[in-house]
Amino acid sequence: MEKNLILVINPGSTSTKVALFKDKEMLSTTSIQHDSKELIKYNKIIDQLDYRMSMLNDAIESYGLNLSSLRAVVGRGGMLKSIESGTYLINDRVIEDLLEAKRGEHASNLGALMAKRISDPLNIPAFIVDPVVVDEMNDIARISGMKEIERTSIFHALNHKAVARVVSEKLGRPYQDLNLIIAHLGGGVSVAAHGKGRVIDVNNALDGDGPMSPERSGTVPLGPLYTMCFSNEYSLKDIKRKNYGAGGLVSYLGTSNAKEVLKMIDNNDSYAKLIMDAMCYQISKEIGAISTVLKGRVDAIVLTGGLAHNPYITRYITESVSWISTVHVYPGEDEMSALNEGALRILNHEEQVKLYE
């Protein structure tokens, strides 16, 4: 059988990760670092496209990659409209929506655009896989309590779905037959109820819903918040920053680095321990709350993401929630492999490619 060569492109805020796969084997990978002083010159993230493409092409040339043998290119999906889980062909509608950035600017918006620029001259398909806007929520989960505001699904969909497949294989049962709670623990935290192959409820990991995280505030009491908003002491930008980027561990301890916080705890810093425990407490509380969505019938709880490398954090959460179901720990998030495998499922005819409309 002919091997599938696939190029994967994953733009981040200050880097662009690139990897070449032969089927599931990663042949090479690199992370192109972008100078923040250079990036600041661009008013919008989309304006970085030519700059990043130039550096990507230089990297491809320096590594001597033979693009003519590629069967597909995969880019990290961005802030599109809400869509169901799956692998999508990058069509004109995808490009149009990402260029307009109507649903928000994010470095991941560049992924599909860069993949399409590589694939078009080669006349091969380009895909995105499970972007952050995957939305499979039940209608009842969308009700917020304030009619003007609807709860929305923005979460670490790529890693959630990839880990769900791994767990289902370990349990020897199809994902579509399982009830799982998956908690992605990273700079942001998303805790989701996976009911029979669908993410039927999840906190919005971007806009302040759910538990605090290393750099996000999570849900906070509204009364004090809107008093702050109208105090004339803070701009809208300030408030957004307190929610996203300067919230959570950063707000209390001045760092989003969990390893630094653990060093503080090892040095008998009781305040650092209180704040770290509070984050673990809130994550555990979210897992307990979302177990009610599955009516307590939970086949497994899964802890994943970068913070899941940390035994202090996983031990605290496991001790708090293991009465609900068995806890499985899968540290990290292998986004490059997850993107590659999404394309492979299409090339191997295991799934039907989806169209963004």
Side-chain angles (χ1 to χ4, degrees):
M1 182 184 294
E2 183 182 357
K3 298 291 186 180
N4 294 299
L5 280 176
I6 299 172
L7 186 70
V8 178
I9 304 169
N10 184 1
S13 56
T14 59
S15 67
T16 301
K17 296 177 183 177
V18 188
L20 181 67
F21 287 84
K22 180 187 287 185
D23 286 339
K24 292 187 178 182
E25 178 190 0
M26 184 184 289
L27 299 180
S28 63
T29 184
T30 187
S31 180
I32 304 167
Q33 299 302 310
H34 304 301
D35 189 341
S36 57
K37 293 179 181 177
E38 185 69 27
L39 294 179
I40 205 170
K41 297 177 182 178
Y42 301 99
N43 292 325
K44 298 178 180 179
I45 286 177
I46 200 67
D47 297 336
Q48 300 173 13
L49 180 58
D50 289 338
Y51 164 72
R52 292 205 190 211
M53 279 302 306
S54 175
M55 295 190 72
L56 173 61
N57 288 327
D58 287 346
I60 289 172
E61 185 176 341
S62 67
Y63 275 84
L65 300 183
N66 183 9
L67 299 186
S68 64
S69 300
L70 291 178
R71 288 204 62 201
V73 187
V74 191
R76 180 70 188 270
M79 299 292 288
L80 296 160
K81 68 179 181 181
S82 297
I83 54 178
E84 65 180 13
S85 175
T87 298
Y88 286 77
L89 186 70
I90 300 175
N91 58 16
D92 290 344
R93 186 64 186 276
V94 170
I95 299 300
E96 178 183 323
D97 279 9
L98 291 175
L99 286 172
E100 293 182 5
K102 288 181 178 179
R103 295 165 184 86
E105 289 201 70
H106 193 274
S108 62
N109 287 5
L110 297 167
L113 302 173
M114 297 175 79
K116 188 69 168 168
R117 284 203 181 181
I118 296 290
S119 70
D120 274 357
L122 300 172
N123 198 29
I124 58 175
F127 304 110
I128 55 172
V129 183
D130 287 330
V132 295
V133 292
V134 164
D135 186 351
E136 302 169 330
M137 284 171 61
N138 289 340
D139 287 342
I140 197 169
R142 303 181 191 281
I143 306 301
S144 70
M146 191 177 293
K147 188 176 181 181
E148 295 84 356
I149 298 175
E150 182 178 273
R151 292 188 67 240
T152 55
S153 176
I154 299 178
F155 70 111
H156 307 87
L158 182 65
N159 193 40
H160 269 256
K161 291 291 184 174
V163 170
R165 293 185 184 95
V166 172
V167 174
S168 65
E169 185 174 338
K170 180 177 181 179
L171 297 178
R173 294 171 58 190
Y175 174 47
Q176 290 74 17
D177 290 349
L178 293 172
N179 284 341
L180 305 172
I181 296 174
I182 298 181
H184 176 101
L185 314 178
V189 170
S190 55
V191 180
H194 293 240
K196 310 300 182 187
R198 293 173 52 243
V199 177
I200 58 177
D201 198 354
V202 62
N203 65 292
N204 183 323
L206 182 65
D207 284 342
D209 187 19
M212 66 183 274
S213 75
E215 61 178 36
R216 299 174 198 178
S217 68
T219 304
V220 297
L222 284 178
L225 179 62
Y226 53 64
T227 298
M228 285 176 65
C229 292
F230 289 94
S231 67
N232 293 322
E233 294 181 29
Y234 306 97
S235 66
L236 175 60
K237 184 178 180 180
D238 293 334
I239 295 295
K240 285 183 175 181
R241 181 69 178 162
K242 285 182 173 295
N243 167 222
Y244 180 95
L249 297 184
V250 175
S251 178
Y252 291 95
L253 301 172
T255 179
S256 61
N257 190 323
K259 291 181 180 178
E260 290 182 11
V261 177
L262 288 171
K263 285 181 181 178
M264 297 178 195
I265 295 172
D266 287 340
N267 290 326
N268 299 315
D269 187 329
S270 59
Y271 183 68
K273 185 178 187 304
L274 174 66
I275 300 306
M276 176 64 85
D277 287 355
M279 183 179 75
C280 297
Y281 172 93
Q282 290 185 19
I283 294 167
S284 303
K285 186 176 174 182
E286 189 79 8
I287 290 171
I290 211 160
S291 70
T292 64
V293 173
L294 299 170
K295 297 181 170 57
R297 294 189 284 273
V298 181
D299 295 299
I301 297 170
V302 186
L303 306 181
T304 184
L307 293 182
H309 284 290
N310 193 308
Y312 185 100
I313 294 171
T314 56
R315 183 168 54 248
Y316 187 110
I317 298 171
T318 298
E319 289 174 354
S320 300
V321 305
S322 59
W323 58 273
I324 300 171
S325 188
T326 304
V327 178
H328 301 257
V329 180
Y330 290 93
E333 50 177 323
D334 193 350
E335 294 175 338
M336 306 305 276
S337 291
L339 290 167
N340 173 64
E341 289 173 16
L344 268 181
R345 289 192 292 273
I346 302 304
L347 297 178
N348 292 335
H349 308 290
E350 296 169 12
E351 288 181 11
Q352 283 285 106
V353 69
K354 295 183 177 179
L355 294 180
Y356 181 81
E357 298 175 348

